[in-house]
Amino acid sequence: GSLAHRFSVTDGSVATSGDYLNAFTADRSLHHVLDPRTLRSPEALASATTLAPTAMAADALSTALLVLGPTEGLALVQDLPGVEALLITKDGQRLFSSGFPTA
């Protein structure tokens, strides 16, 4: 239980996808999000938080980023105007897109 990051949002929407609520195994290696390329749960990220102009976009992108992983996920975010992300790896490393609020 502790917070990974605290931030404020005054415009736009936030969504988070992660392996922490609906895990099917104790080590969280199998959970409710599946990578359609492998039919397995993503292995690199534990959580993806997305800031986007709409709730629908934030929700869809947070799941997509969890599946894409850190490198592909951050590359995608950099190409999308008005979108930022915080990715947390399975070992707890926090990865921020360039405009994600850090305070």
Side-chain angles (χ1 to χ4, degrees), residues 20-63:
Y20 38 82
L21 285 179
N22 296 311
F24 305 130
T25 57
D27 67 355
R28 296 187 174 113
S29 62
L30 294 174
H31 52 83
H32 70 291
V33 177
L34 297 177
D35 182 335
R37 301 168 293 189
T38 64
L39 301 179
R40 307 249 334 136
S41 294
E43 296 179 1
L45 295 177
S47 175
T49 297
T50 307
L51 306 177
T54 67
M56 186 174 5
D59 185 47
L61 284 167
S62 66
T63 303

Side-chain angles (χ1 to χ4, degrees), residues 4-7 15-17 45 47-51 62 65 74 77 84-89 92-97 100-101:
H5 186 69
R6 184 179 296 203
F7 61 96
T16 300
S17 293
L45 295 177
S47 175
T49 297
T50 307
L51 306 177
S62 66
L65 297 178
L74 287 176
V77 167
E84 300 296 339
L86 164 58
L87 308 179
I88 301 177
T89 64
Q93 182 181 8
R94 295 179 300 160
L95 308 168
F96 297 89
S97 63
F100 196 90

